[in-house]
Amino acid sequence: MKVHARPGRALAMIVLGLVALGLALAASISFGAVKLSLSTVWDALFHYQVDDRQHQVIWELRLPRALAGALVGAAFSVSGALLQGLTRNPLADSGLLGINAGSGLVLAVCFAFFPTVPFLGLMGWSFVGAAMGALMIYGISRASKGGLTPVRMALAGAAISAMLIAVSEGIAIMFNVSQDLAFWYSGGIAGVKWMQVELLWPCIVIGIVLAIIMGRSLSLLGLGEETAAGLGLHIQVIKSMIIFIVILLSGASVAAAGSISFIGLIVPHTVRGLVGSDYRYIIPCSAVLGALLVVLADIGARLLNPPLETPIGALIALIGVPFFFVLARREGGSL
């Protein structure tokens, strides 16, 4: 098995994706309950007037929301790419493998018993929940007869996710925090403020940089563990590092935007078909396209049924569920 790469196509995708992302961010800041012109957006960004209400709306509400969408989309996409490379399972995704559900359970406990926990604390506990979900799924699928296979991991992820979500909903009903928890399950960035962005971006940027550094090792893992070990790779160290990065990216994103599934399934698989199987290119391309997908989904959430907003998670699921079934049908014979 060889690692196929198309670096020219990857570079073009990154450049064009960044241009499209810039345009999408401008549109995201412009659209809303009150539509603002792009000239107003430009003036607010580069000639801010503190007493201008439109400038205040742009800086305090729309800009942090747009940036959070880009960060979260990049994080979920990269974590999905890492999981698919680690497990060699094209169906892997932090939402489908129970990592997001683990974060949701811990956040439900925080809402019920520690309602005054600040956002930094929620982010920390979200990391704990993501780690808990990952370890449960890894342990169950590895302990199964026949060892760790892509199908067993997907099935374990579905079962664990269902259980964790059921427990979370039970806590929410018992302690009357259903409304708070509903936001995290539906997924959304409407209430994101600068404080969340300031805490979010270092985690996600560090996670993506580490993921890019791990790209070569992840590509070598795809050749088989024996081959990778023969090439000097420390397999367990690499696996532990990748799982740490996934928890860092997923935990931070779920704390900020809730559980948004399928981003990490759709984007990396699409990118792999375009740029090849080399994760040195898959990871940065996934980050750019994932950011673009969530920013566009957020625009759609505002325009679909104004003045109400459709949850981002629901919009992406409309694409993700059929994509999942097509992919499962196509890959089922080889799993």
Side-chain angles (χ1 to χ4, degrees):
M1 180 179 178
K2 289 181 63 178
V3 176
H4 299 284
R6 302 185 182 100
R9 191 177 290 186
L11 179 61
M13 183 181 294
I14 291 172
V15 172
L16 294 175
L18 287 173
V19 171
L21 178 60
L23 295 174
L25 287 170
S28 177
I29 297 170
S30 176
F31 290 126
V34 177
K35 186 176 180 181
L36 304 173
S37 66
L38 290 178
S39 61
T40 302
V41 173
W42 180 270
D43 287 339
L45 294 178
F46 297 102
H47 306 96
Y48 180 67
Q49 300 292 328
V50 69
D51 56 346
D52 189 314
R53 292 293 297 275
Q54 290 184 329
H55 288 197
Q56 291 174 7
V57 167
I58 290 169
W59 266 98
E60 300 303 323
L61 298 177
R62 295 192 183 177
L63 183 57
R65 174 176 181 164
L67 293 176
L71 288 168
V72 165
F76 278 132
S77 296
V78 171
S79 65
L82 292 174
L83 283 172
Q84 289 173 21
L86 178 64
T87 63
R88 282 173 280 174
N89 178 2
L91 305 180
D93 166 75
S94 61
L96 296 175
L97 292 184
I99 296 174
N100 293 358
S103 291
L105 173 60
V106 174
L107 291 174
V109 172
C110 288
F111 293 149
F113 298 103
F114 311 102
T116 59
V117 173
F119 181 76
L120 180 60
L122 288 177
M123 186 176 289
W125 283 110
S126 182
F127 294 147
V128 173
M132 177 187 70
L135 291 174
M136 289 176 69
I137 291 159
Y138 183 80
I140 290 173
S141 56
R142 191 169 184 83
S144 302
K145 185 179 179 181
L148 187 66
T149 67
V151 168
R152 284 195 179 89
M153 185 165 280
L155 292 174
I160 293 297
S161 293
M163 183 192 73
L164 295 178
I165 290 172
V167 174
S168 301
E169 291 177 347
I171 293 172
I173 293 170
M174 186 175 295
F175 294 94
N176 198 28
V177 292
S178 297
Q179 273 193 326
D180 294 324
L181 197 61
F183 165 78
W184 302 96
Y185 281 136
S186 60
I189 50 176
V192 173
K193 300 292 188 294
W194 279 114
M195 181 193 71
Q196 284 97 321
V197 175
E198 289 169 359
L199 293 172
L200 186 66
W201 78 261
C203 295
I204 292 178
V205 169
I206 290 171
I208 291 175
V209 170
L210 290 175
I212 291 172
I213 293 171
M214 300 296 295
R216 177 180 176 274
S217 299
L218 197 57
S219 296
L220 293 178
L221 270 181
L223 301 175
E225 293 189 9
E226 290 184 4
T227 303
L231 293 171
L233 224 61
H234 298 284
I235 304 299
Q236 293 307 316
V237 174
I238 297 300
K239 286 184 174 182
S240 299
M241 190 65 187
I242 290 171
I243 291 172
F244 167 77
I245 297 169
V246 169
I247 290 171
L248 178 65
L249 293 172
S250 300
S253 300
V254 173
S259 179
I260 306 177
S261 297
F262 296 109
I263 299 173
L265 174 69
I266 298 169
V267 175
H269 190 78
T270 302
V271 168
R272 191 180 299 106
L274 295 171
V275 306
S277 58
D278 193 332
Y279 280 86
R280 292 177 297 175
Y281 305 114
I282 290 174
I283 290 170
C285 289
S286 295
V288 173
L289 292 193
L292 178 61
L293 174 62
V294 173
V295 172
L296 292 176
D298 186 44
I299 295 172
R302 283 176 270 175
L303 297 180
L304 192 61
N305 187 29
L308 302 176
E309 292 193 16
T310 305
I312 293 177
L315 284 182
I316 294 177
L318 288 175
I319 306 170
V321 171
F323 189 95
F324 175 81
F325 283 121
V326 170
L327 184 58
R329 181 181 177 84
R330 193 173 72 188
E331 300 287 344
S334 62
L335 294 179

